[in-house]
Amino acid sequence: MRTLIKGGTVVSASDTYPADVLIEDEKIVAVGSGLAGDTTIDAGGQYVIPGGIDVHTHLDMLFGGTVSSDDFFTGHQAAAFGGTTMHIDFAIQPKGATLRETLDMWLARAEGKAAVDYGFHIAITDLPDSIMDEIQKCPDYGVTSLKLFMAYKGALMVDDATLFRAMEQAAKHRLLICVHAENGDAIDILVKQAIAAGNLEPKYHALTRPPELEAEATNRAIRLAEVAGAPLYVVHLTNYGALEAIRLARARGRSSQIFAETCVQYFFFTKDDLARPGFEGAKWVCSPPYREKSDQVALWQGVADNSLQVISTDHCPFWLEGGKDGRTPGKELGKGDFSKIPNGCPGIEDRMMVLFTHGVRGGKFSLNRWIELCCTNPAKLFGMYPQKGVIAPGSDADIVVWDPDKSYTITAAKQHQRTDYNLYEGMEVTGVPRIVLSRGRVLVQDGQWKGEQGAGRFVKRKRFGQ
Ligand code: URP
Ligand code: ZN
Ligand code: ZN
């Protein structure tokens, strides 16, 4: 079966050019002119881009006394409606489990549900010698990145010894170390002090996790990684101080080893959003928290000057009013105590549209840089390139026909993310996905779902730098 995407403008991380794209079964077989297929998709006046890749998501994740509200089907539908065709989620090691057992638990969550392709980072919470030894097997499992949490004391957090040992092993076997960089010990003290003082509203979530504690942990992770010789990827970076640490490391010759992402929502919200009246601020409770307007300016600058290489979502949705009508418990768990609000925000559906509108159309970065940040760099850094992240012969036919002129108003009422709110409620975006293909199959066409549960596949990834 050969499908021709005809008359569009192909966009890569470096070029923008008119070309037809020929797909045979799951792969792109040619990009050029004078091509013929059995069926034709008209892409006149549209961009033809690689499917978005979101390397930071939490679907069906046990967290904060509940579970994130999108599973591997609803989250995948939402991703596809937003032009994202691949994501990497986190398989989080329960204490005492092997890494193989951990991965199998998470593969089981996706089995029979997945509609787009997916991978896993393994998040290590427990590192006895047997697990140190098992790390070398991760590439055989198809996992080439490990995550360690420097925060969430008493739950996911690891100490520096664990982080450093994991880094040494990762260096040896060419795995990428990802870190959630916040100083969990200091945050734990600040949270206890706030509660003791009766400061319980959502805004205290942000006030007990100050930016300095992210900057400190970011710098600590960088220095530990340098000593261990491990490649490092700092997830969800939010502020100027943490960005400076990345910038300094890359400037002292570490630009092939030290990387960082920010998430789309950190360009738009501040800690003031957590202080909205009543309990509304809970919608914005995530970690690290939203910062200041000046940090947003720093982040736009960071993606423009390549201090930041990726923009992901950290999609970790919870209901605002859960625990009833078949909903899992959600943010309401923290009414009266901010420390019990499940941490996380939705966004997998919104990322590509919001960034096209405010990044590309808003003049913050070029069309090609949008593709680099959202598709190509994620594939390269996480061992999937050129299978994913580019439109080229031999690559998977994960393709989005993107209408740059069509407008849409983001609203929870119309979204596919399984939550009762949307951070960007009322935002008008211009530039939306019109047709979304995953390995040659149409998932979404003009707002209609055409995908299939269970058709998404686990993607085995290559070692860092391969
Ligand atoms: O608040 C957040 N970010 N929730 C998801 C877990 C994490 O830290 O990434
Ligand atoms: Zn995190
Ligand atoms: Zn996360």
Side-chain angles (χ1 to χ4, degrees), residues 375-392:
C375 314
T376 311
N377 279 351
K380 284 184 174 169
L381 283 169
F382 288 93
M384 300 179 281
Y385 187 85
Q387 181 189 350
K388 306 282 189 191
V390 64
I391 293 188

Side-chain angles (χ1 to χ4, degrees), residues 23 36 39 54 59 145 178 190 215 222 241 255 288 295 302 320-321 341 374 385 404 410 415 424 447:
I23 300 166
T39 57
D54 189 346
L59 301 179
S145 45
C178 304
L190 294 176
I222 289 169
S255 60
D295 293 303
L320 180 64
E321 291 294 345
I341 301 171
C374 296
Y385 187 85
I410 295 179
Q415 73 183 358
Y424 308 97

Side-chain angles (χ1 to χ4, degrees), residues 400-411:
V400 178
V401 178
W402 187 269
D403 185 336
D405 299 316
K406 190 170 166 149
S407 295
Y408 166 72
T409 302
I410 295 179
T411 170

Side-chain angles (χ1 to χ4, degrees), residues 56 58 61 63 147 149 152 180 236 285-288 314 316 343-344:
H56 188 158
H58 302 275
M61 181 208 194
F63 193 48
K147 164 86 174 282
F149 289 89
Y152 304 127
H180 172 134
H236 53 37
V285 167
C286 64
S287 296
D314 194 9
C316 186
N343 287 198

Side-chain angles (χ1 to χ4, degrees), residues 129-146:
D129 290 346
S130 58
I131 301 295
M132 270 293 271
D133 209 37
E134 197 192 356
I135 285 177
Q136 62 188 300
K137 295 192 186 146
C138 285
D140 300 332
Y141 304 165
V143 172
T144 53
S145 45
L146 303 174

